[in-house]
């Protein structure tokens, strides 16, 4: 595994992956990330139909083949699969996965067990997205190659643990690939995660503002305006805790303060039912580091400059 990780690291300019985001990451964002020599990923449900998914996977795999033929060095790409029992497209999606062979598959919202063998058969790596030590242990026992530890402050369904606790807890029983996500909006923090003993960083929120994301312009602009004080933590929308931009809740005609600490609230407004992610926009604490709408290449450049500066900082002694 350490050889595979070494090869993966060799493809990257810095240990960073633009994390998969529902309704935000598509092929353009993935390819821009790979071109900037970081990892790029998208969730399969973002493709509305299986035909669209087939086209997106073909577009990304085809571009990688052309880059390889031209001798261009680019970052790897990953597909995020929902492995929850209630997700009825998984079987058909796996057939497309076998055809297009994403080098990395990240499972979320369910056990990775049903997909591991099929991904391994063509040489792909399987990484399970987890937000607790118990889930990390279960996924490790199922035989995944890597774990993505979703920590406190993360965008999307957030985690609860500090990486300072989560990484050492998981390193006690898992020596595979460790990715850490949650509010990592600065290149210095990427270096800090490496110093903790993890391998790669997952950043979502900072890439919502990328010009190549699928996010509407108003979402990008709102993200740039927002600070960490403008986030509302609620589980009332999806049943799981997530941070939302206060301004987007107000724009949907709802009261942000009424959502805090509630398990369920009425999410309808005069236009009908309000949907999380589509009408009310998520962002993690990494929002604090988002200061402009700019291309992926510029975001990666900033991370790389900060990361290189952190490499040069001497320790206490
Ligand atoms: C708007 C949004 C949508 C997300 N959707 C997904 C998803 O569909 N699947 C998934 O595994 N993670 C999803 N995530 C979580 C990210 O993959 C990643 O773990 C997280 O963004 C890292 O934290 P950060 O946003 O603080 O950088 C989402 C995050 C955001 C902000």
């Amino acid at each position: 595994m350490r050889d595979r990780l070494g090869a993966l690291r060799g493809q990257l300019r810095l240990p960073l992956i633009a994390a998969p985001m529902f309704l935000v990451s598509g092929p353009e964002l993935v390819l821009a990330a790979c071109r900037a020599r970081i990892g790029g990923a998208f969730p399969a449900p973002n493709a509305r139909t299986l035909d669209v998914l087939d086209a997106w996977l073909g577009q990304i795999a085809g571009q990688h083949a052309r880059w390889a033929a031209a001798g261009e060095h680019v970052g790897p790409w990953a597909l995020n699969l929902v492995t929850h029992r209630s997700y009825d497209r998984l079987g058909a999606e796996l057939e497309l996965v076998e055809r297009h062979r994403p080098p990395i598959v990240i499972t979320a919202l369910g056990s990775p067990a049903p997909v591991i063998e099929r991904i391994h058969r063509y040489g792909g790596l399987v990484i399970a997205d987890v937000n607790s030590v118990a889930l990390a242990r279960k996924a490790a026992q199922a035989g995944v190659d890597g774990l993505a530890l979703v920590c406190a402050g993360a965008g999307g369904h957030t985690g609860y643990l500090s990486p300072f606790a989560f990484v050492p807890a998981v390193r006690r029983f898992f020596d595979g690939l460790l990715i850490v996500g949650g509010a990592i909006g600065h290149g210095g923090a990427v270096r800090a995660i490496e110093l903790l003993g993890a391998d790669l960083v997952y950043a979502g929120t900072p890439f919502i503002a990328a010009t190549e994301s699928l996010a509407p312009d108003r979402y990008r602009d709102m993200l740039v305006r927002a600070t960490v004080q403008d986030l509302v933590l609620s589980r009332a929308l999806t049943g799981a805790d997530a941070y939302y931009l206060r301004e987007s809740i107000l724009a949907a005609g709802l009261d942000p303060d009424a959502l805090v600490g509630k398990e369920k609230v009425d999410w309808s407004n005069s236009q009908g039912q309000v949907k999380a992610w589509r009408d009310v926009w998520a962002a993690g604490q990494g929002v604090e580091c988002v200061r402009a709408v700019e291309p992926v290449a510029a975001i990666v450049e900033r991370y790389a400059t900060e990361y290189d500066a952190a490499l040069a900082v001497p320790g206490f002694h």
Side-chain angles (χ1 to χ4, degrees):
M1 185 56 215
R2 287 286 127 189
D3 290 352
R4 292 287 297 275
L5 178 58
L8 195 61
R9 284 292 302 266
Q11 289 179 269
L12 298 169
R13 177 167 182 205
L14 76 162
L16 184 64
I17 298 174
M21 290 181 282
F22 186 52
L23 304 185
V24 174
S25 335
E28 235 194 293
L29 182 60
V30 171
L31 289 172
C34 299
R35 191 96 215 244
R37 291 186 45 223
I38 64 164
F42 78 94
N46 278 2
R48 236 176 357 94
T49 64
L50 288 164
D51 284 344
V52 173
L53 182 61
D54 193 13
W56 284 11
L57 293 170
Q59 182 186 346
I60 297 170
Q63 184 58 61
H64 271 76
R66 285 191 290 281
W67 279 330
E72 265 197 65
H73 297 289
V74 295
W77 65 286
L79 179 67
N80 175 215
L81 290 178
V82 173
T83 51
H84 194 268
R85 279 184 304 275
S86 65
Y87 185 65
D88 59 7
R89 243 173 57 170
L90 182 62
E93 287 179 356
L94 275 170
E95 284 173 25
L96 296 176
V97 166
E98 283 171 331
R99 179 141 26 105
H100 295 288
R101 302 185 162 199
I104 303 170
V105 168
I106 303 160
T107 63
L109 301 175
S111 166
V115 310
I116 294 176
E117 203 200 314
R118 287 175 76 172
I119 311 296
H120 279 172
R121 221 181 287 149
Y122 71 81
L125 291 175
V126 181
I127 293 170
D129 187 277
V130 293
N131 68 359
S132 73
V133 178
L135 284 176
R137 195 185 293 278
K138 263 196 190 166
Q141 282 165 353
V144 293
D145 306 289
L147 296 168
L149 309 182
V150 178
C151 296
H157 287 142
T158 194
Y160 303 95
L161 293 173
S162 156
F164 297 111
F166 208 171
V167 173
V170 171
R171 272 293 179 232
R172 280 175 197 252
F173 58 85
F174 186 71
D175 67 357
L177 173 64
L178 268 197
I179 305 176
V180 176
I184 306 174
H186 188 280
V190 175
R191 180 66 188 135
I193 292 298
E194 284 187 302
L195 294 175
L196 269 178
D199 303 295
L200 300 172
V201 159
Y202 227 27
T205 298
F207 290 99
I208 299 171
T211 48
E212 296 91 341
S213 84
L214 299 171
D217 288 340
R218 281 182 48 238
Y219 188 178
R220 290 199 193 91
D221 294 340
M222 211 180 269
L223 195 75
V224 170
R225 277 196 295 277
T227 71
V228 80
Q229 297 183 83
D230 300 312
L231 301 179
V232 175
L233 180 65
S234 177
R235 63 173 55 183
L237 252 177
T238 66
D241 280 325
Y243 291 99
Y244 301 96
L245 294 169
R246 173 176 291 271
E247 196 183 336
S248 74
I249 300 172
L250 287 168
L254 299 167
D255 173 9
D257 298 323
L259 309 178
V260 179
K262 300 279 167 45
E263 294 291 326
K264 263 217 148 1
V265 291
D266 179 9
W267 278 90
S268 45
N269 63 13
S270 52
Q271 280 93 53
Q273 195 61 29
V274 172
K275 283 209 166 141
W277 324 117
R278 189 197 65 184
D279 310 312
V280 173
W281 294 324
Q285 294 178 13
V287 70
E288 202 53 57
C289 297
V290 180
R291 286 290 160 260
V293 172
E294 52 191 357
V296 166
I299 299 171
V300 174
E301 193 58 42
R302 177 181 61 74
Y303 267 106
T305 304
E306 293 160 351
Y307 178 82
D308 289 343
L311 284 178
V313 175
F316 181 70
H317 289 293

